[in-house]
Amino acid sequence: MGDFIGSWAARLIEWSNGTIDEQRARTLVTEIYEAAAERAVRLHEEEVALREAEREE
């Protein structure tokens, strides 16, 4: 995942015209990635619960 974080951090630094340093960019990318992963898991769990409820009906 290091390459993923580094690649997106570099893009973020470029888009910010250098106003964000590398450490902050890496932190932001990591936070965004983790939030997206948590959301994906939550949505999956909700979908599974919905399917289980439909089967029980």
Side-chain angles (χ1 to χ4, degrees), residues 21-34:
D21 66 21
E22 182 178 357
Q23 184 58 42
R24 182 65 180 144
R26 286 180 166 277
T27 299
L28 287 170
V29 171
T30 301
E31 289 175 3
I32 292 167
Y33 179 83
E34 289 173 354

Side-chain angles (χ1 to χ4, degrees), residues 12-25:
L12 187 56
I13 293 166
E14 182 180 329
W15 292 335
S16 74
N17 293 322
T19 60
I20 298 175
D21 66 21
E22 182 178 357
Q23 184 58 42
R24 182 65 180 144

